[in-house]
Amino acid sequence: MLDTIAEIMAASSVVAALTGAGISAESGVPTFRGNEGLWAKFRPEDLASMEAFLANPKIVWEWYNWRRELMAGVLPNDGHRALAACESMFDRFTLITQNVDGLHAAAGSKQVIELHGNIHRNKCADCNRPVDSALQIDPRQIPTCGHCGGKIRPDVVWFGEMLDSAVTDEAFAAAEEAQVFLVVGTSALVHPAASLPLVAKRQGAILVEINPEDTPLTPLANYHISEKSGVFLPSLLSRITDVRATRKVKPS
Ligand code: BV8
Ligand code: ZN
């Protein structure tokens, strides 16, 4: 399968990728729904929602402080680096992530569409202004916005919250035009992110899913690679480079 996918991609010029928590798993960031997943202990609605924040801002901040500490020493892995290299391998390469860990940018990706925000940023819960504050917030003394007095919150998209429309427009436009759409390390359960591969498939993109497990997308994928992204993506990229070099394959 590696050769077939490499041949297809070597001849492609417009590629997009959607990533989820799985691509950061090999960096040591726990996924959301695996048995060791973050949410194995918590229910998402209990913590990653405005209702939870309004009802119990202290526990929500304790959870984000804990996740930020977890991520403090975390480094990008070969999967992140391979997707960063894709930027110079295709005329148009769009990286769309559900992750809030900032690891794609840390790996060198210059353009990243962060559908769900970024855990390393804070903003005001009322006026949404970005707030330049320490990342470890005292949950008993939650700082307030200098402009409107609203409570400070992590700059991530919670369940029940709309995604930024400019961000979703850009992501869906990339899905509409992709010749190849990679889906890496996501359980494909969270919407609207999980609709992106469907949009790509519907317009004729080749759908390649890289995930050791099956997901609701697997039956739709042209190729399902049951491998870790940190292992498969680097070998895919080197094979694409070989094909282009030996076969003088030009992207169409
Ligand atoms: C919205 C930021 C409009 C916060 C996150 C019923 C049906 C459909 C939809 C809904 C529904 N009810 C409600 C909804 C809407 C809801 C939703 O989709 N719910 C789901 C759970 C059913 N969506 C929303 O609320 C969105 N907003 O729709 O607004 C609206 C408004 C009101 C009401 C309705 C609609 C907002 C969603 C954003 C939520 N925020 N994160 C934070 O992180 O703190 S989502 C969170 O889940 C993360 O962003 C995470 O990335 C994301 C998805 O999880 P995954 O990334 O897929 O991670 P997971 O652990 O699940 O899977 C990891 C995968 O990796 C596994 O498959 C594993 O096998 C694989 N893997 C592991 N190791 C590796 C690997 N793969 C490769 N290599 C490895 N080494
Ligand atoms: Zn404010």
Side-chain angles (χ1 to χ4, degrees), residues 2-12 239-240 243 247 249:
L2 175 71
D3 290 341
T4 315
I5 300 169
E7 299 269 349
I8 294 168
M9 292 184 72
S12 300
R239 191 60 55 86
I240 292 168
V243 168
R247 226 65 59 71
V249 170

Side-chain angles (χ1 to χ4, degrees), residues 17-28 75-87 89 93 95-97 99 101 103-109 112 182-185 210 227-237:
L18 170 70
T19 64
I23 195 163
S24 298
E26 290 156 270
S27 296
L75 295 172
N77 63 59
D78 290 342
H80 296 107
R81 277 187 282 276
L83 291 180
C86 283
E87 286 182 344
M89 291 184 67
F93 177 75
L95 178 57
I96 307 157
T97 189
N99 299 341
D101 57 28
L103 288 177
H104 283 300
S109 290
V112 186
L182 306 176
V183 189
V184 188
I210 299 156
E227 272 195 54
K228 295 185 169 184
S229 44
V231 174
F232 181 75
L233 285 172
S235 47
L236 175 62
L237 255 63

